[in-house]
Amino acid sequence: MKVAKVTLLAVLAALVAVGVATTAYSFHSGGVAECGGCHSMHSPAAGGTFLLVGTDQSSACLTCHEHAGDTGPASYHISTAPGDMPAGTAPLQRTPGGDFGWLKKDYTFVVRGTTINEDGDTHGHNIIAADFGYAVDGVNAAAPGGTFPSAQLACNSCHDPHGKYRRLVGGTVATTGAPIKASGSYTAATNEPDGTGAVGVYRLLAGAGYTKDGITFTGVPAAKVPSSYNRTEAATQTRVAYGVATTGGHNAWGTWCGTCHTGMHSSGNYVHPIDQGVGSSIATIYGQYVKSGDMTGVAASSFSSLTPFSTNSSDYTVLAGLAQNNDSQLGGPATSDQVNCMSCHRAHASGWEFGLRWNMEGEFMTYNSLFPGTDTTPTVPQFARGRLGAETQAAYYDRPVTKFASYQRVLCNKCHAQD
Amino acid sequence: MRDAIAKYLVLALATGLFLTPFPAQAGAEVNSTFLYSLANFHGKVPYSDVRVRVDRSRGEVYVVDRGIVRVFNENGMEFFWFGDNPELESIYDLAVDEKGDLFLLSFDLSHPEDPKYYLIQCNYRGDVKAKRKLTNLPAEFSRFFPNYMYYRDGRFLFLSSAKMQVVVTDRDGAFRKGYDLAEILEIPGKDRPNTEIFGFNLDAEGNMLFTVPVLFRAYVVSQEGKTVASFGKAGSAPGMFGVVSGIAKDDQGNYLVVERLRSVVMVFDKEFRFQREFGYRGDKPANLIRPNEVAVGNAGKLYVTQVRNKGVSVFSVTND
């Protein structure tokens, strides 16, 4: 008994020493976090699996990643609690992946006598998180173009909860090797591997060999993001620098999404070109296009986070240089830079159908120099789509309406200029 | 100075570590009993994640949910509500002064690029008497945007939980004092965006109590801006911190800390020794589902918010 106590004390003392020496302020820090943050060895949920403490995997994540009482974008939150987004207001988070709260935003409106319901389910990936009111998608039984069952869609379908994938010195991604010292998502020098350790892969995304419900990922996509990424784009844009890396445990963005949406990507299917260079004419258009009817732009300031692209580079320091949130890097694509799924979709959810970055459901994104809304443009319910003007603006991450033409057409035109 | 604080913290930590996982040896036993859920004539109000404020001098309980305030009596029955008047903006939080006047923290988010907040004074029926903005904010608080509000001794305290900033004003909303809690805890600049407060409260002496889940720790910071204590250890055994949120100190000197992951309220005595915990995830009345905030009422009552429409559960927590 006495011995046990002494040993315990010694262990505790050791813990104290370690704890104080390396106080971890971040939770995952690019790798596996404190087990107790997600598992309980002592009182798991009744019927819960893997001793996870939420009722399901995604609820465990949202225990931290959603917090009631938010008033605006809040660091790593990717979901807004229902009480913080009552009817007539938009979800609050403005991350590149998007706020899952949009999935709870159903809009009903009447166009020429016909009532139209825009179900929140259509706004993106319906992760299942019972504690937080997220349920399985009501429309798609499986991933369109693939087999992944919607009933299994969780945060850990796409993210490795244990963050085992790491980028080693030399650039290779592996699940073992040097310990993970920090997140690899951000742009500081400390977010790159060196002699002291590896870094986590971009956003702890699933890498080669990660298997879930019949699908297996073949590599992680490369990207860098500014460390302050959950922010309004009212004044300046948040640029994620997506890259193109296909070796050493990497794969391109389209291939990564295509793991579950095989048919949306495999060649021969009728889908938009993906993971291919934009070519010179589209690069030129992107550079010149400002808004509908205005082709006076210059390439060096033409980037739009509503139509991002992959920079044709696997060099993370190049990507880090481009990933800014102060509008210092707004260069448009070079001919070899690529269009990818993220050029049109957000990874989690958005204010629009199919998780798109802009509204494709009507010809105009703005109307009479206003963001369409039941309050702002009551005569054109087909453009307002049951939202208030402020909700429409929020879906564009709070950009001022002057960033668009008075009658702005869909942003396919950023690359195709058919307007 | 830094070293001294660090040493002090180490000591506190060591004591905490040694003692927390074990029930106290001596002292009064803490009991907890589930009493009821806040209700109206339709039965339990199926609240999820709401803000509860107790007016202890009048024994009334205010619940703020999506801009609507419902008022409950000491027995947990609703007797009044307000909030549908557009003049009140979007109500987020509420405080009551000695005279029974209500003060609302309300937002105007109709221009997403330029969100605004107001301090709105009302009578007990929610009729607006005055609508103010915070004034004289110094430069370092110029972008301050609070999401919690408290009243004590003629002063308002506003908290921005994400920025870990506190602003104290007089009754008219004029700035008196500000705290940068992240600085007080010496959180390095690069980690600030990811370090935030999940639970906050004031104790009877006016100390600020709060939890920082990613540090797996609860803190007590005095009005002078000094960390007077901190406790908690990461883990999943009883008394340990998974994802901690709500915190309060009751009349018997116990610290009550919510642990979201295990769905419990943990009780620590005034020396931060773990006493017991209650709740646990489940559907029975006395169970909790991902609890979040706690508010202390009269006669040992404790109000606990949670999700899944399980409502606000009221417990009695007593030392005997």
Tab-separated table of all heavy atoms in Angstrom, chain A residues 25, chain B residues 9 164 180-188 195 210 212 215 219 221 227:
chain	number	residue	atom	x	y	z
A	25	TYR	N	-1.097	23.997	-25.500
A	25	TYR	CA	-2.250	24.889	-25.547
A	25	TYR	C	-3.232	24.453	-26.613
A	25	TYR	O	-4.420	24.618	-26.488
A	25	TYR	CB	-1.798	26.325	-25.789
A	25	TYR	CG	-1.133	26.913	-24.578
A	25	TYR	CD1	0.231	26.896	-24.439
A	25	TYR	CD2	-1.916	27.454	-23.561
A	25	TYR	CE1	0.825	27.425	-23.315
A	25	TYR	CE2	-1.333	27.980	-22.441
A	25	TYR	CZ	0.053	27.968	-22.320
A	25	TYR	OH	0.624	28.485	-21.208
B	9	LEU	N	1.869	27.877	-9.402
B	9	LEU	CA	0.956	27.064	-10.197
B	9	LEU	C	1.316	25.595	-10.095
B	9	LEU	O	0.455	24.737	-9.985
B	9	LEU	CB	1.010	27.502	-11.665
B	9	LEU	CG	0.139	28.708	-11.983
B	9	LEU	CD1	0.304	29.103	-13.440
B	9	LEU	CD2	-1.327	28.371	-11.714
B	164	MET	N	-11.352	35.811	-24.688
B	164	MET	CA	-10.945	35.768	-23.282
B	164	MET	C	-10.737	37.175	-22.723
B	164	MET	O	-9.815	37.426	-21.959
B	164	MET	CB	-9.686	34.906	-23.093
B	164	MET	CG	-9.928	33.447	-23.458
B	164	MET	SD	-8.541	32.345	-23.169
B	164	MET	CE	-8.468	32.282	-21.384
B	180	ASP	N	-7.519	41.124	-19.765
B	180	ASP	CA	-7.184	40.214	-20.842
B	180	ASP	C	-6.807	38.897	-20.173
B	180	ASP	O	-5.675	38.702	-19.732
B	180	ASP	CB	-6.023	40.791	-21.652
B	180	ASP	CG	-5.705	39.940	-22.858
B	180	ASP	OD1	-6.065	38.735	-22.840
B	180	ASP	OD2	-5.111	40.454	-23.813
B	181	LEU	N	-7.784	37.995	-20.064
B	181	LEU	CA	-7.541	36.770	-19.294
B	181	LEU	C	-6.488	35.886	-19.953
B	181	LEU	O	-5.749	35.178	-19.277
B	181	LEU	CB	-8.855	36.006	-19.101
B	181	LEU	CG	-9.914	36.761	-18.281
B	181	LEU	CD1	-11.237	36.007	-18.278
B	181	LEU	CD2	-9.447	36.998	-16.843
B	182	ALA	N	-6.385	35.948	-21.281
B	182	ALA	CA	-5.365	35.150	-21.961
B	182	ALA	C	-3.976	35.626	-21.540
B	182	ALA	O	-3.053	34.826	-21.342
B	182	ALA	CB	-5.539	35.245	-23.465
B	183	GLU	N	-3.857	36.945	-21.357
B	183	GLU	CA	-2.565	37.483	-20.931
B	183	GLU	C	-2.298	37.099	-19.480
B	183	GLU	O	-1.189	36.732	-19.107
B	183	GLU	CB	-2.585	38.995	-21.092
B	183	GLU	CG	-1.212	39.630	-20.988
B	183	GLU	CD	-1.266	41.059	-21.501
B	183	GLU	OE1	-1.687	41.235	-22.661
B	183	GLU	OE2	-0.919	41.969	-20.736
B	184	ILE	N	-3.341	37.171	-18.658
B	184	ILE	CA	-3.176	36.817	-17.246
B	184	ILE	C	-2.732	35.359	-17.121
B	184	ILE	O	-1.905	35.010	-16.288
B	184	ILE	CB	-4.488	37.096	-16.478
B	184	ILE	CG1	-4.717	38.611	-16.419
B	184	ILE	CG2	-4.444	36.497	-15.068
B	184	ILE	CD1	-6.069	39.027	-15.886
B	185	LEU	N	-3.237	34.492	-17.999
B	185	LEU	CA	-2.827	33.077	-17.960
B	185	LEU	C	-1.538	32.843	-18.747
B	185	LEU	O	-1.088	31.705	-18.874
B	185	LEU	CB	-3.918	32.173	-18.538
B	185	LEU	CG	-5.300	32.195	-17.889
B	185	LEU	CD1	-6.136	31.035	-18.417
B	185	LEU	CD2	-5.228	32.136	-16.382
B	186	GLU	N	-0.990	33.910	-19.310
B	186	GLU	CA	0.260	33.827	-20.075
B	186	GLU	C	0.174	32.844	-21.232
B	186	GLU	O	1.065	32.014	-21.454
B	186	GLU	CB	1.442	33.478	-19.156
B	186	GLU	CG	1.672	34.540	-18.105
B	186	GLU	CD	2.864	34.218	-17.199
B	186	GLU	OE1	3.716	33.413	-17.609
B	186	GLU	OE2	2.916	34.782	-16.106
B	187	ILE	N	-0.909	32.931	-21.968
B	187	ILE	CA	-1.063	32.062	-23.128
B	187	ILE	C	-0.304	32.670	-24.302
B	187	ILE	O	-0.502	33.833	-24.647
B	187	ILE	CB	-2.558	31.881	-23.461
B	187	ILE	CG1	-3.179	31.036	-22.353
B	187	ILE	CG2	-2.759	31.216	-24.811
B	187	ILE	CD1	-4.652	31.107	-22.264
B	188	PRO	N	0.604	31.900	-24.909
B	188	PRO	CA	1.412	32.452	-26.001
B	188	PRO	C	0.534	32.940	-27.149
B	188	PRO	O	-0.518	32.352	-27.430
B	188	PRO	CB	2.253	31.260	-26.462
B	188	PRO	CG	2.124	30.224	-25.413
B	188	PRO	CD	0.881	30.499	-24.640
B	195	THR	N	-7.587	29.091	-27.961
B	195	THR	CA	-7.795	28.922	-26.527
B	195	THR	C	-8.950	29.811	-26.121
B	195	THR	O	-8.904	31.019	-26.322
B	195	THR	CB	-6.512	29.319	-25.773
B	195	THR	OG1	-5.411	28.699	-26.428
B	195	THR	CG2	-6.559	28.857	-24.338
B	210	PHE	N	-13.580	30.571	-14.266
B	210	PHE	CA	-13.812	30.150	-15.649
B	210	PHE	C	-13.043	28.893	-15.983
B	210	PHE	O	-12.083	28.525	-15.309
B	210	PHE	CB	-13.470	31.276	-16.638
B	210	PHE	CG	-12.061	31.801	-16.541
B	210	PHE	CD1	-11.074	31.299	-17.373
B	210	PHE	CD2	-11.735	32.800	-15.635
B	210	PHE	CE1	-9.771	31.780	-17.304
B	210	PHE	CE2	-10.433	33.285	-15.556
B	210	PHE	CZ	-9.450	32.775	-16.389
B	212	VAL	N	-11.184	26.573	-19.162
B	212	VAL	CA	-10.595	26.592	-20.498
B	212	VAL	C	-10.432	25.134	-20.915
B	212	VAL	O	-9.509	24.452	-20.463
B	212	VAL	CB	-9.234	27.322	-20.509
B	212	VAL	CG1	-8.677	27.376	-21.928
B	212	VAL	CG2	-9.369	28.725	-19.931
B	215	LEU	N	-7.157	23.530	-22.083
B	215	LEU	CA	-6.097	23.443	-21.061
B	215	LEU	C	-6.498	22.446	-19.970
B	215	LEU	O	-5.742	22.214	-19.027
B	215	LEU	CB	-5.831	24.812	-20.425
B	215	LEU	CG	-5.371	25.915	-21.385
B	215	LEU	CD1	-5.112	27.209	-20.631
B	215	LEU	CD2	-4.107	25.484	-22.129
B	219	TYR	N	-10.049	28.072	-13.544
B	219	TYR	CA	-9.255	29.147	-12.948
B	219	TYR	C	-10.106	30.042	-12.064
B	219	TYR	O	-11.296	30.214	-12.300
B	219	TYR	CB	-8.629	30.024	-14.044
B	219	TYR	CG	-7.660	29.257	-14.925
B	219	TYR	CD1	-8.124	28.541	-16.025
B	219	TYR	CD2	-6.306	29.222	-14.629
B	219	TYR	CE1	-7.248	27.814	-16.815
B	219	TYR	CE2	-5.423	28.506	-15.412
B	219	TYR	CZ	-5.897	27.800	-16.508
B	219	TYR	OH	-5.023	27.081	-17.282
B	221	VAL	N	-9.700	33.963	-10.913
B	221	VAL	CA	-8.905	35.185	-11.076
B	221	VAL	C	-9.589	36.303	-10.281
B	221	VAL	O	-10.801	36.509	-10.392
B	221	VAL	CB	-8.769	35.571	-12.570
B	221	VAL	CG1	-8.182	36.966	-12.732
B	221	VAL	CG2	-7.906	34.543	-13.303
B	227	THR	N	-4.246	35.417	-10.853
B	227	THR	CA	-4.744	34.049	-10.763
B	227	THR	C	-4.593	33.596	-9.321
B	227	THR	O	-3.475	33.420	-8.843
B	227	THR	CB	-3.930	33.106	-11.673
B	227	THR	OG1	-3.882	33.683	-12.967
B	227	THR	CG2	-4.559	31.734	-11.757
